[in-house]
Amino acid sequence: MVVSMYRQFAEDYSIITIHGRTEVYIENFKSISELGGECIRIKAARELVIVEGSGLLVEYMNKDDIKIIGNIEHIRPVSYTHLTLPTNSLV
């Protein structure tokens, strides 16, 4: 039962592991929405993860995990539930 609960958690959430200011490892990511030397945006399971810094590179990636290296200055997870879409108003 514990294994089943862990699998459900792992499918629903991303795990972000930070190693100092030079590496970030994201498990259970979905896609890369922006890729640049100063900003990398990752669409994760339930959030958008924004990694900012200089000399940023994707060192490793497979279908579930990604490792970003470089001089990391900021890591900002943005929850999708806090985002709102613009609405058209006819007023």
Side-chain angles (χ1 to χ4, degrees):
M1 180 164 171
V2 172
V3 173
S4 176
M5 290 173 58
Y6 177 78
R7 282 190 189 141
Q8 183 64 36
F9 177 82
E11 290 173 4
D12 290 344
Y13 295 94
S14 294
I15 299 171
I16 302 170
T17 306
I18 303 165
H19 296 278
R21 298 182 64 94
T22 59
E23 295 180 5
V24 61
Y25 184 75
I26 303 169
E27 298 175 63
N28 197 21
F29 89 104
K30 302 300 180 195
S31 65
I32 300 171
S33 62
E34 181 181 336
L35 181 61
E38 295 180 355
C39 182
I40 298 177
R41 294 175 188 255
I42 304 295
K43 291 182 181 176
R46 292 187 175 213
E47 65 277 335
L48 176 69
V49 179
I50 302 169
V51 180
E52 296 174 316
S54 59
L56 300 178
L57 297 168
V58 174
E59 183 179 69
Y60 168 82
M61 179 176 69
N62 66 23
K63 68 180 188 75
D64 297 315
D65 308 325
I66 187 167
K67 180 180 177 184
I68 299 168
I69 61 169
N71 180 24
I72 298 169
E73 296 172 11
H74 303 283
I75 300 171
R76 295 184 291 142
V78 178
S79 171
Y80 290 136
T81 59
H82 292 91
L83 301 177
T84 58
L85 298 175
T87 59
N88 292 331
S89 176
L90 299 175
V91 178

